[in-house]
Amino acid sequence: MVEPREGLPDRVLIYEVGPRDGLQNEAAIVPVDAKAEFVRRLIGAGLPVVEATSFVHPRWVPQLADAADLMTRLGDAGRDCPVLVPNERGLDRALELGLRHVAIFGSATETFAQRNLNRSLDEQLAMFEPTVRRAREAGLDVRAYVSMCFGDPWEGPVPVAQVVDVGKRLFDLGASQLSLGDTIGVGTAGHVRSLLDAFAAAGMTVGQLAMHFHDTYGQALANALAALECGITTFDASAGGLGGCPYAKSATGNLATEDLVWLLNGLGIEHGVDLAALVDTSVWMAGVLGRPSPSAVVRALGSGAAESPA
Ligand code: HMG
Ligand code: MG
């Protein structure tokens, strides 16, 4: 067993987003039975949180139009899986099914707010305010995402102060956690540190923050290490590196959960995930999708190659 390094957390929580962020971006519509099996297998592999789907408009994300069907099939097994809700209509759909965790998703930039939510920056907050208030009144836990924290494909680099301002406004609506999204994967380790320093200076604690990296420029693992060094203990990741955002050109897969697990194992940081079961799941999902996983660790271990460094 590798000893944890001085200055790094000894345990992290991996927040799995493959069934939602991953499958929302697939050209092919995955059958609902396969989605249910995917979620069950991820839970079985020890992932403590599995974000299952989105209650968005089915015309905007047809890949997840079966959200209610999926959550009904999952029954009690899916009750604690978070789902995205952009507005009160989405919240109502989640409440009807007795779900307990929802996530709103705002944008740090004006252009992406328009493209992803059909709202201006201020209008998105007006849409979220009653959604979060009613969710909290009903006893639900609410996560808030803020997208385009590092760069925006239409606006270019996004000022850190702007991200902190929008992120805090989203969090202060009543969220328990704010996930900082590098939607198009342009962030670098130095930028991660600057952003986290700015959130700390604005009074947010590392326990209130999660990091959500996409791997478009191959920086996701380096960025995760930089965030670990800043004390972050919640990381979003997607099994097999599936993912992207259909409304953000150039957004590719998320940080692969297997790659993150390999890094954490090497640093002696606990996470509770069974890497072999996870790799098996991603190999199986690659078969369902008909293409190989982009995760380097899945490619290596999926062919039965090596042992974990732990
Ligand atoms: P809109 O067209 O402005 O909606 O879309 P509206 O409020 O004007 O309503 C129009 C109609 O849609 C109405 O029906 C509503 O009832 C219905 P009508 O009266 O015309 O019959 N409607 C809904 N139906 C089902 N479920 C709903 C819903 N809401 C309204 N929830 C809306 C606004 C927000 C709905 C739309 O823009 C939308 O669904 N956007 C979702 C886009 C999305 O899911 N993007 C991907 C997730 S974000 C992401 O991936 C980034 C992240 O991973 C972090 C990162 O990487 O940075 C989280
Ligand atoms: Mg994402």
Side-chain angles (χ1 to χ4, degrees):
M1 180 67 198
V2 181
E3 284 300 312
R5 300 241 168 183
E6 181 98 21
L8 292 180
D10 48 22
R11 186 169 186 93
V12 305
L13 184 138
I14 302 179
Y15 184 109
E16 171 64 44
V17 296
R20 192 279 303 170
D21 207 345
L23 298 186
Q24 76 180 7
N25 206 40
E26 283 301 321
I29 308 248
V30 174
V32 67
D33 279 339
K35 288 179 179 174
E37 183 169 350
F38 190 32
V39 172
R40 284 195 205 98
R41 287 179 73 145
L42 291 168
I43 294 171
L47 268 318
V49 183
V50 180
E51 190 173 80
T53 187
S54 298
F55 287 92
V56 296
H57 196 296
R59 260 201 318 273
W60 282 66
V61 184
Q63 291 90 338
L64 303 184
D66 56 6
D69 190 4
L70 172 63
M71 298 317 290
T72 303
R73 279 164 201 253
L74 286 170
D76 283 344
R79 203 79 66 209
D80 285 319
C81 290
V83 295
L84 294 197
V85 297
N87 53 16
E88 290 186 87
R89 175 85 184 90
L91 174 65
D92 287 338
R93 293 171 62 201
L95 287 173
E96 273 161 31
L97 290 160
L99 305 183
R100 295 194 274 249
H101 296 264
V102 294
I104 56 162
F105 49 104
S107 168
T109 66
E110 190 65 49
T111 312
F112 189 60
Q114 292 286 358
R115 297 214 174 220
N116 199 44
L117 295 164
N118 201 24
R119 299 288 183 281
S120 69
L121 253 177
D122 288 335
E123 285 166 353
Q124 66 174 355
L125 285 146
M127 178 168 77
F128 295 139
E129 192 278 325
T131 311
V132 176
R133 181 168 33 77
R134 285 190 43 223
R136 295 297 305 278
E137 282 165 7
L140 272 61
D141 172 68
V142 180
R143 176 183 234 223
Y145 282 97
V146 56
S147 288
M148 301 300 175
C149 291
F150 295 84
D152 173 294
W154 301 277
E155 298 186 17
V158 183
V160 162
Q162 182 177 327
V163 177
V164 173
D165 177 56
V166 179
K168 276 208 75 185
R169 287 167 74 194
L170 287 163
F171 180 75
D172 288 343
L173 292 174
S176 59
Q177 188 171 61
L178 178 69
S179 175
L180 307 180
D182 184 7
T183 321
I184 57 168
V186 291
T188 55
H191 199 157
V192 169
R193 289 196 190 95
S194 306
L195 188 64
L196 290 175
D197 285 349
F199 270 104
M204 285 196 69
T205 65
V206 282
Q208 294 169 326
L209 297 170
M211 300 309 295
H212 179 104
F213 295 118
H214 284 258
D215 202 28
T216 320
Y217 287 76
Q219 303 297 302
L221 268 184
N223 290 343
L225 181 56
L228 282 168
E229 287 167 352
C230 293
I232 293 290
T233 54
T234 302
F235 289 86
D236 301 0
S238 158
L242 300 168
C245 176
Y247 291 99
K249 61 179 169 165
S250 72
T252 63
N254 291 76
L255 166 61
T257 314
E258 291 85 351
D259 298 12
L260 176 63
V261 165
W262 189 269
L263 172 74
L264 297 175
N265 285 350
L267 292 169
I269 298 175
E270 283 182 39
H271 47 74
V273 176
D274 176 341
L275 181 59
L278 180 59
V279 169
D280 280 352
T281 300
S282 290
V283 169
W284 164 79
M285 183 42 79
V288 171
L289 296 171
R291 61 175 176 78
S293 162
S295 157
V297 171
V298 171
R299 285 200 307 272
L301 293 185
S303 55
E307 306 97 47
S308 172

